[in-house]
Amino acid sequence: MRPTARGHSDVRPRGLSQYVLKVHSRCDLACDHCYVYQHADQSWRERPREIAPETVRAAATRIAEHAREHGLRRIHLVLHGGEPLLLGPVRLAAVLNRLRATIEPVAELDLRMQSNGVLLTPRLCDLFAAHGVRVGISLDGDAAANDRHRRFAGGASSHAPVRRALALLRRPEYRHSYAGILCTIDVRNDPIRVYEALLAEAPPRIDLLLPHATWNAPPSRPDGTATPYADWLLRIYRRWVRDGRPVEIRLFDSLLATAAGGRSGTESVGLDPADLAVVETDGAWELADSMKTAYDGAAGIGLDVFQHPADAVLAHPEFVGSQRGLSGLCRTCRQCPVVAQCGGGLRAHRYSDVGGFDNPSVYCADLKELIISINRETATDATPAGVAVPTGPGGDLLLDGLPTGDLLEDLGAGHGSMTSLRRLAAAQLGYVRGLLVELADRVAGTPTASAWELLARLDEEAAEAVSAVLAHPYLRRWARQCLAHRAGKTSERAHLAGVAAAVAIRAGVVADLEVPVRSGLVHLPGLGALALDEPGERSALLSIAGGGFTARAGPSVVVVPAAGHAPPPAAWRPVRRAGLDGWEILVEDLDPYRDCYEWPAAARLDPAALASWQRSLAAAWARIQREVPGQAPGLRAGLRAVTPLRTDPTGRLRSATSRDAFGAVGTVAADPDALAVLLVHEFQHVKLGALLDLTVLFDRAYPGRLRVPWRDAPRPLEGALQGTYAHLAIADIWRARPGAEAGEHYRRYHGWTARAIDRLAGTGALTEHGQRFVRQMGETLHSWPDER
């Protein structure tokens, strides 16, 4: 079973949106780990030192025409080398002017530069600030770590001039030009000292790169340890987590993102199809620079910007071969349970003279250990990790093709389209799949292992049935509960057999499974529960065939026919549903993991209570469609279950959501008007929780608390953000309802939300994504009148 690979494995990009433009082919440092000068490819010797104006013009024209033909809204372009600063401020200005003049009329241009920083000056910083260029600097840590490799040709240290460059970028007038730090790993360096040295430079992002290596020239492994690079990275990862993740570290963020079903955003890991092309100083089109480490000419494809459009790169066999995703990996990789996160590693790192690229990464053992360890430690964290999912030089998150800006603005507007909610749901499904992969290790060698084997097989043979069952809202809570403690309860892990049985029943396959009995019930997620009359029995044997099953526990035998074939036995308690004008949601009063809210869940509803709930839900849905139609598409795409809660003795309305139960809302019975408000209010929390699993909206280390108008006690920042987002939607409902009382409610919620938005914006703790999200909430609110 490759849980998160499905959907990303063999997708080619619709166009090239990322480019590297080599503006100078020489360098003023002599780093001994540089892939350009020290590795297999030596084509730099034959290329012009500087890019010519006509080459810049041709490259810019090709990029613009490609963006126009493919409808690309944004182009990411990195100025690179060699060392790009060797071009000097005058010629760099000419390059930047040409690029903006040619590409900007067609698509937004995101300009970056990767530099060693030695030649950076205030004059150059002024130039980059004027043109909106963000600059990344290469630094390997403290002086001792950095100077192992990054020295001048004469052997002098580069550490001091690089730090001067970083100090320039930290100035207030240049801070927005600071893209981050690129650090190449050397396991002889102390990882914590490296981390602390990098953190001291206050970068917005850190890239930790494995040193380029192949099977022909394998990486150094001091002391003969099996996974020295994983061990090194994990020491930083654990410290980074303890520190509250004070900075984006792209490798870790990418692995967390792919674990949640999102995009990797880097060619180093994951199965994302890279949409990047390189233009050399002579105008040659090439594959990603990392290929230069494989063999001489590995990056070349025999095309250039003067004679060939970017479409020719996209169609070139070598480029296509590099985009094959899962099917382009060797058999060992395709069968690996972490392939969706690893993606086989960097393509160049798979190369050998014998097998070409049909090998695992030379860092295979390290990548696997790193991924499994991060997954385990993330799964046992009490709070699901929110992860940034940057993509390429633009740093913009992509989730199934939807850029972060669109996702943030769509959700931040207060509603959330069907497209956005489907993407959030896909990410949550990926998150559950990742948890199950981790759980598979826990059940190995136990009777439950056969359930995992069946589930893995059905993932290939009946993927829709697997996805339908794994999308049940409370499976994530169960899986995280199983992983919360290493030992775990055998009975909890055995629920995996119930999950596999539910899939087999949906798929209509033949299977025999031993499933747990809990309080006299066999639970099948999303289908129902079977009551057994045999007290003391802890398991039952299910014989599944044709969509039905026979259960044997002790001397008892119960036959449950396939739905619609015959009346079910009285012992079968199916999951019930409420019809909502063309679609249905579960009225989930059976699942053993549904009791995860602030308020206790109600027991199984009797027929009269169920009918009342079904009527109220249908009427509430009609009100939502009439009053806040913008909420309807998102609810259709994301709301899967309503769990009845116990009624408060005082009659107070109660409702709740859980971060571990995407798509479910718990609420007490209420009249349709009140129920519509409760559903919309809680679904805002569902959406924002799922978004926080994908991207970081605020500094988690922020210690302050915010005073919000609807609470007496100050709230932590996330609580204030959640409340503000929910109140935005409630204000929208009262805006639509007639009557003076509704008008009073509208004024109150509008004022509360406006003040809270201002306070959130004033904390200084919001990330760039958080600022965009809160800004969009403010724009929505300010488009409404203060008074109805």
Side-chain angles (χ1 to χ4, degrees):
M1 185 178 186
R2 292 180 289 274
T4 57
R6 192 172 306 281
H8 298 315
S9 58
D10 295 287
V11 181
R12 291 186 60 203
R14 65 188 179 99
L16 294 169
S17 66
Q18 302 185 62
Y19 299 86
V20 170
L21 182 65
K22 299 295 191 75
V23 297
H24 204 287
S25 66
R26 303 299 191 268
C27 188
D28 46 355
L29 294 183
C31 308
D32 60 16
H33 57 10
C34 181
Y35 60 86
V36 174
Y37 305 109
Q38 303 296 329
H39 286 206
D41 186 284
Q42 291 293 299
S43 58
W44 64 273
R45 299 178 184 276
E46 302 169 2
R47 292 203 156 102
R49 286 177 175 269
E50 301 171 2
I51 194 167
E54 56 269 24
T55 307
V56 178
R57 185 181 305 110
T61 300
R62 293 299 191 192
I63 293 169
E65 68 185 16
H66 186 76
R68 184 182 297 108
E69 289 166 6
H70 289 267
L72 302 177
R73 295 182 299 170
R74 196 176 195 197
I75 295 296
H76 309 289
L77 192 149
V78 180
L79 302 183
H80 214 287
E83 172 48 52
L85 295 184
L86 285 171
L87 201 60
V90 175
R91 282 165 295 180
L92 275 172
V95 170
L96 295 170
N97 284 327
R98 171 57 61 185
L99 293 172
R100 289 232 177 262
T102 307
I103 300 171
E104 287 269 87
V106 179
E108 179 186 352
L109 181 58
D110 176 65
L111 278 169
R112 305 282 170 122
M113 173 181 287
Q114 187 61 40
S115 169
N116 62 36
V118 169
L119 297 176
L120 193 65
T121 63
R123 180 182 177 188
L124 283 165
C125 286
D126 288 336
L127 174 67
F128 300 147
H131 283 275
V133 180
R134 299 190 69 196
V135 182
I137 300 294
S138 299
L139 179 74
D140 288 349
D142 59 8
N146 190 71
D147 291 344
R148 279 192 190 275
H149 303 285
R150 298 190 186 276
R151 290 181 174 270
F152 289 95
S157 169
S158 68
H159 189 252
V162 174
R163 289 202 66 210
R164 283 196 295 271
L166 292 167
L168 260 180
L169 290 172
R170 287 198 302 273
R171 288 186 187 178
E173 64 268 34
Y174 303 136
R175 178 73 195 188
H176 63 284
S177 297
Y178 190 4
I181 293 176
L182 182 152
C183 169
T184 301
I185 295 166
D186 189 317
V187 292
R188 293 172 295 177
N189 296 328
D190 180 84
I192 300 305
R193 287 184 64 182
V194 168
Y195 168 74
E196 290 175 342
L198 299 180
L199 203 61
E201 304 296 340
R205 177 192 289 175
I206 295 171
D207 272 358
L208 297 174
L209 302 185
L210 293 168
H212 287 313
T214 66
W215 290 103
N216 294 343
S220 170
R221 295 187 181 277
D223 305 323
T225 50
T227 57
Y229 294 89
D231 299 343
W232 196 94
L233 285 163
L234 284 167
R235 285 189 63 194
I236 292 182
Y237 175 78
R238 288 161 184 151
R239 169 66 182 275
W240 177 67
V241 170
R242 287 198 302 272
D243 287 348
R245 301 176 185 174
V247 61
E248 290 182 15
I249 298 183
R250 185 156 71 162
L251 176 60
F252 300 153
D253 287 335
S254 296
L255 293 178
L256 291 168
T258 51
R263 295 283 186 173
S264 159
T266 172
E267 64 174 344
S268 300
V269 294
L271 290 167
D272 299 3
D275 61 338
L276 179 143
V278 177
V279 180
E280 285 285 354
T281 55
D282 60 357
W285 287 113
E286 289 202 339
L287 303 179
D289 252 12
S290 57
M291 293 293 288
K292 293 181 183 294
T293 202
Y295 58 87
D296 195 18
I301 54 177
L303 306 177
D304 64 67
V305 295
F306 301 106
Q307 304 176 75
H308 306 100
D311 273 352
V313 180
L314 201 60
H316 194 279
E318 289 295 328
F319 186 88
V320 173
S322 70
Q323 304 298 303
R324 288 175 59 204
L326 193 63
S327 64
L329 300 179
C330 69
R331 183 177 180 182
T332 300
C333 291
R334 293 197 304 272
Q335 294 178 343
C336 179
V338 299
V339 66
Q341 289 174 271
C342 172
L346 200 65
R347 188 167 189 253
H349 294 174
R350 305 172 209 156
Y351 183 75
S352 76
D353 287 342
V354 178
F357 296 102
D358 192 29
N359 306 292
S361 169
V362 73
Y363 291 105
C364 176
D366 292 281
L367 289 170
K368 190 170 185 178
E369 176 63 23
L370 177 66
I371 291 166
I372 288 173
S373 296
I374 287 178
N375 288 352
R376 180 187 304 120
E377 291 169 26
T378 302
T380 56
D381 189 353
T383 303
V387 290
V389 193
T391 178
D396 216 11
L397 174 148
L398 278 175
L399 179 60
D400 288 345
L402 190 69
T404 300
D406 291 355
L407 189 65
L408 292 172
E409 287 162 16
D410 182 41
L411 293 173
H415 296 153
S417 66
M418 186 171 286
T419 299
S420 293
L421 266 296
R422 283 175 175 167
R423 281 157 172 76
L424 292 180
Q428 291 294 312
L429 180 61
Y431 193 105
V432 172
R433 286 173 170 269
L435 293 175
L436 291 185
V437 170
E438 176 70 13
L439 187 59
D441 290 340
R442 307 284 181 90
V443 302
T446 73
T448 308
S450 60
W452 169 254
E453 291 165 6
L454 174 63
L455 195 59
R457 175 169 66 82
L458 292 178
D459 194 43
E460 298 296 327
E461 299 172 3
E464 289 186 8
V466 172
S467 294
V469 172
L470 298 192
H472 190 270
Y474 298 110
L475 276 184
R476 171 170 160 170
R477 182 182 185 240
W478 157 71
R480 283 177 56 81
Q481 190 167 306
C482 284
L483 295 167
H485 301 288
R486 186 68 189 171
K489 289 185 178 179
T490 302
S491 60
E492 298 288 354
R493 294 198 298 260
H495 187 57
L496 182 65
V499 175
V503 173
I505 292 166
R506 280 182 177 272
V509 301
V510 175
D512 291 320
L513 279 172
E514 186 176 356
V515 297
V517 176
R518 182 185 184 123
S519 301
L521 296 172
V522 171
H523 289 278
L524 302 173
L527 298 181
L530 181 67
L532 298 174
D533 288 333
E534 298 298 329
E537 288 292 335
R538 295 187 177 182
S539 66
L541 179 65
L542 296 193
S543 297
I544 301 165
F549 63 94
T550 300
R552 295 176 175 84
S556 296
V557 178
V558 181
V559 178
V560 180
H565 287 209
W572 176 241
R573 301 177 183 180
V575 169
R576 281 92 60 97
R577 292 171 168 78
L580 305 180
D581 187 22
W583 66 294
E584 292 183 329
I585 57 172
L586 302 181
V587 180
E588 182 54 271
D589 57 2
L590 267 177
D591 192 276
Y593 297 94
R594 74 188 189 281
D595 204 356
C596 59
Y597 301 116
E598 180 182 3
W599 315 110
R604 178 81 164 171
L605 300 176
D606 62 35
L610 173 66
S612 176
W613 268 95
Q614 291 169 329
R615 287 193 299 271
S616 291
L617 285 166
W621 174 244
R623 283 159 173 75
I624 290 169
Q625 289 183 295
R626 182 176 66 250
E627 294 170 347
V628 280
Q631 295 285 354
L635 281 159
R636 271 184 182 270
L639 182 62
R640 297 188 177 124
V642 169
T643 291
L645 302 180
R646 289 186 200 169
T647 302
D648 185 272
T650 67
R652 178 187 173 191
L653 293 180
R654 289 175 168 178
S655 60
T657 52
S658 167
R659 183 79 166 267
D660 276 341
F662 175 81
V665 167
T667 179
V668 296
D671 66 78
D673 281 338
L675 189 55
V677 173
L678 294 176
L679 291 176
V680 169
H681 176 277
E682 295 301 338
F683 196 65
Q684 293 290 92
H685 294 311
V686 169
K687 291 184 288 190
L688 185 51
L691 182 62
L692 288 169
D693 278 347
L694 287 177
T695 188
V696 179
L697 299 183
F698 56 88
D699 179 2
R700 292 188 182 86
Y702 180 71
R705 287 178 170 258
L706 274 68
R707 290 202 171 275
V708 291
W710 56 87
R711 287 285 186 100
D712 292 333
R715 302 283 288 153
L717 199 151
E718 181 173 349
L721 181 62
Q722 287 276 8
T724 306
Y725 191 51
H727 284 91
L728 178 68
I730 302 308
D732 198 16
I733 290 181
W734 292 120
R735 186 169 67 101
R737 288 188 175 176
E741 185 179 359
E744 288 296 329
H745 286 313
Y746 171 70
R747 279 193 294 277
R748 181 184 309 115
Y749 279 90
H750 185 284
W752 283 354
T753 309
R755 293 198 294 278
I757 287 172
D758 289 342
R759 289 171 188 174
L760 285 166
T763 62
L766 299 178
T767 64
E768 181 180 348
H769 288 175
Q771 291 169 18
R772 293 170 79 175
F773 184 78
V774 170
R775 183 167 58 246
Q776 186 59 53
M777 280 200 291
E779 290 177 3
T780 295
L781 189 71
H782 294 316
S783 71
W784 303 340
D786 293 343
E787 299 274 345
R788 273 194 337 184

